[in-house]
Each structure stands twice: as structure tokens, then as C-alpha cells.
Amino acid sequence: MAESIQAPMLVYLVTGGCGFLGEHIVRMLLEQEPRLRELRVFDLHLSSWLEELKTGPVQVTAIQGDVTQAHEVAAAMAGTHVVIHTAGLVDVFGRASPKTIHEVNVQGTQNVIEACVQTGTQFLVYTSSMEVVGPNIKGHPFYRGNEDTPYEIVHKHPYPCSKARAEQLVLEANGRKVRGGLPLVTCALRPTGIYGEGHQIMRDFYRQGLRLRGRLFRAIPASVEHGRVYVGNVAWMHVLVARELEQRAGLMGGQVYFCYDKSPYKSYEDFNMEFLGPCGLRLVGTRPLLPYWLLVLLATLNALLQWLLRPLLLYTPLLNPYTLAVANTTFTVSTNKAQRHFGYKPLFSWEESRARTILWVQSTEGSGQ
Ligand SMILES: NC(=O)c1ccc[n+]([C@@H]2O[C@H](COP(=O)([O-])OP(=O)(O)OC[C@H]3O[C@@H](n4cnc5c(N)ncnc54)[C@H](O)[C@@H]3O)[C@@H](O)[C@H]2O)c1
Ligand SMILES: C[C@@H](CO)CCC[C@@H](C)[C@H]1CC[C@H]2[C@@H]3[C@H](O)C=C4C[C@@H](O)CC[C@]4(C)[C@H]3CC[C@]12C
């Protein structure tokens, strides 16, 4: 990516660019990447907000497409310099079948890699997940861990299985020759639980609290710490990696980085209250109101009901054995690898991330967003 003083020359493609994280990446690229000439936004479902971006100095091209269709991916990628592959099926509730999750997350990623090789796109940034590491189903805590911390990785659920396999494919592809003979440079980012404007589960908890006359009920002990990261900082890390990959290919190629910022370590529910509290909700109980064995029973019942009802309807409650295990296991990251390798520092402070998220939650009330 040679620096051009005269005219911006780079073409980027963001897969999943209309999703929760994807939208932030798209907007961040337009704000923070002065060398951008064209930004292609590739998604299964295109959003209407893309239209307003088309009036700016950078050419924004919306491409409706499916990552599971190799020819659609290759056609969209022809002539691009960098691809940020964020499209994915995020499902830990049983909404999609394991086969569909595999097709989108694994086959879709393989298609992106092959398209890089075929079209000569040299830089690939992949949005992986903390779940590639854990929490494992044995409930082992990962406490302030970094990219080198030993941890017993046990995958059973289709979503983490698919993210782990896709990440492996991306890392193994580093160094493959792309069209024109140059080596492919890849790297994977592993966000913990992302929060911020557009976070649907946060919005769902808010609505549930409103329905319960301003109350939510504690289910998880306050001592179980959960790693969370603000969406703006996750987007910023993607933009920075994409920018630095060429200059630091030897160091960054084939590497994984946890996505982190200065958000406080708290339990999942206490962390959500940082935003929902100022919006008028209160978390009832200093300890879980139900004993853990009862939660396990309810989660198991939900899984059984989901299986029984599947021929008739999709029953996908928030609580199932997997989500309970994740919510109930400490998983926090403490690392500076991204700072050491490519100078990452969070763009948004915790105070700013919190304020922006609160504003967004407040704006969703009754708005149907
Ligand atoms: N949300 C989190 O807490 C979190 C944490 C870690 C990693 N991630 C990863 O970040 C990425 C984005 O997640 P998100 O939370 O923004 O999810 P999201 O569902 O909001 O966004 C995913 C986007 O991908 C698109 N997409 C899905 N299937 C597609 C297909 N077949 N072809 C093209 N586009 C398709 C969707 O339409 C959507 O716009 C995912 O890869 C996810 O695994 C998310
Ligand atoms: C027991 C309930 C009482 O309030 C709380 C259930 C909360 C769960 C639904 C969520 C707890 C942890 C979340 C996951 C975590 O933040 C990390 C993730 C990684 C990412 O790649 C996808 C989303 C998720 C799996 C996220 C999903 C929701 C939780 C399990």
C-alpha cells in the first residue's frame, strides 16, 4: 500500500458491513482512512443508512451478496486491496442449524480466502471471537489472560466451533501466493463480548426491564467477571490493523489479537447495569435470586423444549445450557499485544463509551429500533 500524496487509491471491502460491528467499521474507515478511494460494503441484507454515506468523497459501493456463494464473493473482491471479513452468523440460541452456522462462518471464510488468492487481494483481516479460546464447557476461569495464556480449549457448540475453524483457516492462509505472486497477509482479531450502539441483546434486556416495571433480577453471581469491549474500539482496531498490515507484515501476518479497551471487569449483569441503570432500571438482589442448580434445570428444560418444538416452531430463549455456562464463567482479557505490535490504543475512553451507549439505549425506547 504505497502512500499517495495526490489522490486516495485504496479499495477496501467489508463483509457483513451492515451488521452491528460492521456498521461501526464502515463508518470508522470513512472517518479514519484518508487513503480510501472506494469502500465496498458486502452483506446479505443491505441497510438503508448506506445511502447517506454515498454522498461523501469516498465512493461507497453497496453489494448485496452471500459469503457462502464463492462466485459472489470473488466478483465483489476483484480489484480490492484489503478485505475486512466480519460477516458471520452469531447464534448461541439455536436460531440457525449447525449446518448453516458452518456454511456461513467456515465455508464463507474459505470463500473469502480463495477470492483473495484468485483476485490478488493481499490483506485480510478476520473478525474472530474470544470464544475461539473459551469459556470452555468445564467452567474453567480465564482470568486477565492474554494471547499466550494456556487454557483448556473444549468446543462443542456450533458457533465457537465454527469461529475456531474459520480462524485457523485464516491463519493458515497467511503467506499463500495471491494472483500476481505476492504473499497473502492475514490476521485475526478476537473481541470479547461487544457492547455499544446497535447491541441487540442490550436493547432486549432494556425492553424486558421496562416490561418488569423497571426491574431486572440477578441470576449470575457478581463475582463472575466478564470481558467486554466497546464497539467503537473494536472497529478502530480493525481499521488500524488493516492500515498497518503491509508495513508490519512480518510481525503481524498470521497473528491473533484479543480486542480490548479500558471497560471495567464486571459480571455480565452488573456491566449491563452501567447503561441500563442510568436509563431507569434496577438490578434486584445482591446475590442470584435462584440457586444455580435451578438455573441449570431451567436451561436444560429450555433446551429440551427447543428440541421438542422444533418441528412446529422456533423456541429460542436467552437461557440455555451454553449461554448459562458462558455467563457463569469468568473470562477476562488483559493484554497489550495489539499495542506492542501496531500501536493500538483505545480511541474511546470508558466514560465516552458508556455515555454513547446510554444515549443509544435511551433512544431505542419505543423507537422500534
Ligand atoms: N457481537 C459480539 O459480541 C461479538 C463478539 C466477538 C466476535 N464477534 C464477531 O463479529 C462479527 C460481527 O458480529 P455482529 O455482532 O456484528 O453480528 P451481526 O449479526 O450484527 O452482523 C453480522 C453481519 O453479517 C451478515 N451476514 C450474515 N450471513 C451472511 C452471509 N451469508 N453473507 C453475507 N453477509 C452475511 C449479516 O447480515 C450481518 O449484517 C461476527 O463474525 C461475530 O462472530 C461478535
Ligand atoms: C443467565 C441470564 C440472566 O440474566 C444472562 C444470559 C446472558 C447471555 C445471553 C450472554 C452472556 C454472555 C454473552 C456472550 C458473550 O458476551 C460473548 C459472546 C461472543 C461473541 O462472539 C458472540 C456473542 C457472545 C456469545 C455473547 C452471547 C450472549 C451471552 C451468552
Side-chain angles (χ1 to χ4, degrees):
M1 277 185 275
E3 199 79 46
S4 160
I5 304 162
Q6 279 89 27
M9 36 134 356
L10 296 181
V11 180
Y12 272 55
L13 181 137
V14 180
T15 70
C18 293
F20 165 43
L21 172 60
E23 175 176 353
H24 286 266
I25 294 177
V26 164
R27 293 185 187 275
M28 184 70 70
L29 276 170
L30 293 173
E31 279 169 23
Q32 301 280 353
E33 182 44 86
R35 298 170 308 160
L36 203 57
R37 172 166 64 79
E38 183 188 349
L39 177 55
R40 298 184 191 164
V41 181
F42 182 97
D43 204 299
L44 200 54
H45 308 289
L46 295 178
S47 305
S48 53
W49 52 260
L50 274 175
E51 289 307 310
E52 87 209 26
L53 304 182
K54 289 185 178 166
T55 52
V58 175
Q59 183 187 334
V60 176
T61 311
I63 306 171
Q64 195 275 322
D66 185 341
V67 289
T68 68
Q69 303 302 311
H71 62 284
E72 293 183 10
V73 181
M77 273 174 55
T80 56
H81 300 93
V82 180
V83 57
I84 299 181
H85 177 40
T86 292
L89 198 44
V90 185
D91 181 20
V92 290
F93 306 111
R95 292 175 190 148
S97 71
K99 181 170 173 277
T100 308
I101 294 176
H102 181 89
E103 275 167 9
V104 176
N105 294 352
V106 181
Q107 190 55 51
T109 301
Q110 185 66 50
N111 290 343
V112 170
I113 293 167
E114 294 310 325
C116 285
V117 172
Q118 208 180 311
T119 65
T121 303
Q122 213 201 328
F123 303 101
L124 166 60
V125 182
Y126 174 60
T127 313
S128 181
S129 169
M130 76 173 197
E131 289 198 69
V132 162
V133 180
N136 63 25
I137 42 171
K138 297 182 175 179
H140 294 160
F142 188 83
Y143 183 75
R144 313 278 204 265
N146 64 32
E147 290 83 351
D148 299 317
T149 304
Y151 188 76
E152 190 182 337
I153 299 174
V154 193
H155 296 305
K156 284 255 163 68
H157 193 279
Y159 173 72
C161 282
S162 69
K163 294 301 284 185
R165 179 67 188 132
E167 182 189 273
Q168 189 189 12
L169 292 173
V170 168
L171 302 181
E172 283 171 4
N174 184 60
R176 268 181 78 179
K177 293 276 180 291
V178 303
R179 185 179 175 175
L182 291 168
L184 179 62
V185 187
T186 68
C187 128
L189 302 185
R190 294 172 173 169
T192 51
I194 307 174
Y195 70 93
E197 305 94 303
H199 185 208
Q200 295 312 309
I201 302 179
M202 182 85 76
R203 189 209 58 184
D204 294 345
F205 275 115
Y206 181 50
R207 295 208 169 140
Q208 190 186 350
L210 291 180
R211 279 196 300 274
L212 295 170
R213 288 184 289 146
R215 293 167 306 170
L216 287 170
F217 299 95
R218 189 185 291 280
I220 304 295
S223 56
V224 176
E225 283 187 357
H226 225 261
R228 303 289 285 272
V229 60
Y230 176 60
V231 67
N233 288 325
V234 180
W236 172 230
M237 198 190 269
H238 281 73
V239 171
L240 210 54
V241 167
R243 186 190 291 171
E244 296 297 323
L245 260 187
E246 182 179 36
Q247 296 304 323
R248 303 173 198 232
L251 178 67
M252 293 170 64
Q255 293 287 323
V256 294
Y257 300 94
F258 276 121
C259 264
Y260 55 93
D261 60 14
K262 302 251 169 67
S263 302
Y265 303 114
K266 286 188 172 220
S267 78
Y268 190 78
E269 291 166 327
D270 286 303
F271 189 83
N272 285 353
M273 289 315 291
E274 289 283 344
F275 319 101
L276 303 180
C279 295
L281 299 197
R282 136 182 114 79
L283 185 61
V284 178
T286 49
R287 291 168 177 208
L289 296 183
L290 299 177
Y292 185 62
W293 66 262
L294 190 52
L295 279 178
V296 173
L297 188 69
L298 288 173
T300 312
L301 259 175
N302 274 341
L304 186 67
L305 268 176
Q306 179 172 80
W307 181 74
L308 286 173
L309 293 174
R310 198 169 280 284
L312 304 170
L313 58 99
L314 257 187
Y315 175 63
T316 57
L318 212 59
L319 184 70
N320 64 45
Y322 183 72
T323 57
L324 179 61
V326 176
N328 208 51
T329 305
T330 287
F331 198 97
T332 50
V333 166
S334 175
T335 175
N336 63 359
K337 184 175 175 188
Q339 188 191 343
R340 281 184 284 113
H341 280 204
F342 53 92
Y344 165 77
K345 282 198 189 97
L347 196 59
F348 301 92
S349 66
W350 158 239
E351 289 71 25
E352 210 175 341
S353 309
R354 184 173 177 269
R356 283 170 169 256
T357 307
I358 292 170
L359 270 180
W360 174 76
V361 174
Q362 285 168 342
S363 76
T364 65
E365 191 180 359
S367 70
Q369 255 189 75

